[in-house]
Amino acid sequence: MQRNPYNKNKQEAFQAAQQGFENAQGLFETIVSDSASYGHQLKHLKNEVNEAYQQIENALEVASETQRAQLERFQQDLKQIVTEVNDFQ
Protein backbone atom coordinates (compact mmCIF):
# COMPACT_ATOMS: atom_id res chain seq x y z
CA MET A 1 0.00 0.00 0.00
CA GLN A 2 1.30 3.46 -0.87
CA ARG A 3 1.66 5.93 1.95
CA ASN A 4 0.69 9.00 0.02
CA PRO A 5 -0.56 8.44 -3.53
CA TYR A 6 -1.38 12.16 -3.76
CA ASN A 7 2.33 13.07 -3.78
CA LYS A 8 3.04 10.39 -6.35
CA ASN A 9 0.22 11.70 -8.56
CA LYS A 10 1.55 15.22 -8.14
CA GLN A 11 5.01 14.13 -9.25
CA GLU A 12 3.69 12.07 -12.15
CA ALA A 13 1.54 14.97 -13.34
CA PHE A 14 4.52 17.31 -13.17
CA GLN A 15 6.76 14.88 -15.03
CA ALA A 16 4.15 14.42 -17.77
CA ALA A 17 3.86 18.19 -18.15
CA GLN A 18 7.63 18.57 -18.23
CA GLN A 19 7.98 15.84 -20.86
CA GLY A 20 5.22 17.39 -22.97
CA PHE A 21 6.91 20.76 -22.80
CA GLU A 22 10.29 19.29 -23.73
CA ASN A 23 8.74 17.41 -26.67
CA ALA A 24 7.15 20.60 -28.01
CA GLN A 25 10.32 22.62 -27.47
CA GLY A 26 12.48 20.00 -29.19
CA LEU A 27 10.16 19.82 -32.17
CA PHE A 28 10.10 23.62 -32.44
CA GLU A 29 13.90 23.68 -32.53
CA THR A 30 14.03 21.18 -35.40
CA ILE A 31 11.47 22.77 -37.73
CA VAL A 32 13.01 24.03 -40.93
CA SER A 33 10.89 26.72 -42.55
CA ASP A 34 12.02 26.09 -46.11
CA SER A 35 11.72 22.32 -45.83
CA ALA A 36 9.28 20.51 -48.09
CA SER A 37 7.68 19.01 -44.99
CA TYR A 38 7.33 22.32 -43.12
CA GLY A 39 3.52 22.19 -43.16
CA HIS A 40 3.53 18.68 -41.72
CA GLN A 41 6.13 19.67 -39.11
CA LEU A 42 4.09 22.73 -38.15
CA LYS A 43 0.92 20.66 -37.71
CA HIS A 44 2.83 18.20 -35.53
CA LEU A 45 4.25 21.07 -33.47
CA LYS A 46 0.78 22.54 -32.91
CA ASN A 47 -0.45 19.16 -31.68
CA GLU A 48 2.53 18.83 -29.33
CA VAL A 49 2.03 22.36 -27.97
CA ASN A 50 -1.69 21.73 -27.37
CA GLU A 51 -0.92 18.44 -25.62
CA ALA A 52 1.75 20.12 -23.49
CA TYR A 53 -0.69 22.88 -22.49
CA GLN A 54 -3.22 20.25 -21.42
CA GLN A 55 -0.63 18.33 -19.41
CA ILE A 56 0.49 21.54 -17.73
CA GLU A 57 -3.11 22.46 -16.87
CA ASN A 58 -3.65 19.01 -15.36
CA ALA A 59 -0.44 19.26 -13.35
CA LEU A 60 -1.31 22.74 -12.08
CA GLU A 61 -4.41 21.29 -10.39
CA VAL A 62 -2.24 19.25 -7.99
CA ALA A 63 1.13 21.06 -8.10
CA SER A 64 3.21 22.15 -5.15
CA GLU A 65 4.33 25.79 -5.08
CA THR A 66 7.75 24.88 -6.50
CA GLN A 67 6.18 22.82 -9.28
CA ARG A 68 3.63 25.56 -9.96
CA ALA A 69 6.39 28.11 -10.61
CA GLN A 70 8.11 25.76 -13.07
CA LEU A 71 4.84 24.87 -14.79
CA GLU A 72 4.05 28.56 -15.23
CA ARG A 73 7.49 29.02 -16.84
CA PHE A 74 6.67 26.15 -19.20
CA GLN A 75 3.43 27.95 -20.13
CA GLN A 76 5.31 31.17 -20.84
CA ASP A 77 7.87 29.35 -22.97
CA LEU A 78 5.10 27.63 -24.93
CA LYS A 79 3.44 31.00 -25.52
CA GLN A 80 6.76 32.26 -26.87
CA ILE A 81 6.99 29.29 -29.24
CA VAL A 82 3.45 30.00 -30.51
CA THR A 83 4.30 33.68 -30.97
CA GLU A 84 7.48 32.88 -32.90
CA VAL A 85 5.70 30.39 -35.15
CA ASN A 86 2.87 32.85 -35.83
CA ASP A 87 5.36 35.65 -36.58
CA PHE A 88 7.30 33.37 -38.88
CA GLN A 89 4.38 32.34 -41.06
Side-chain angles (χ1 to χ4, degrees), residues 3-59:
R3 284 188 198 167
N4 193 344
Y6 180 76
N7 283 338
K8 185 171 190 257
N9 291 343
K10 202 176 354 181
Q11 187 61 31
E12 287 175 354
F14 178 81
Q15 288 173 340
Q18 184 175 31
Q19 185 63 50
F21 168 74
E22 290 171 357
N23 289 347
Q25 187 176 46
L27 190 58
F28 172 69
E29 291 171 358
T30 63
I31 285 185
V32 180
S33 63
D34 58 355
S35 166
S37 64
Y38 177 72
H40 175 74
Q41 291 174 335
L42 187 60
K43 183 178 179 182
H44 187 62
L45 174 62
K46 287 179 181 181
N47 289 338
E48 288 291 332
V49 167
N50 287 334
E51 186 174 325
Y53 268 124
Q54 186 60 52
Q55 290 168 325
I56 291 168
E57 287 297 321
N58 291 342

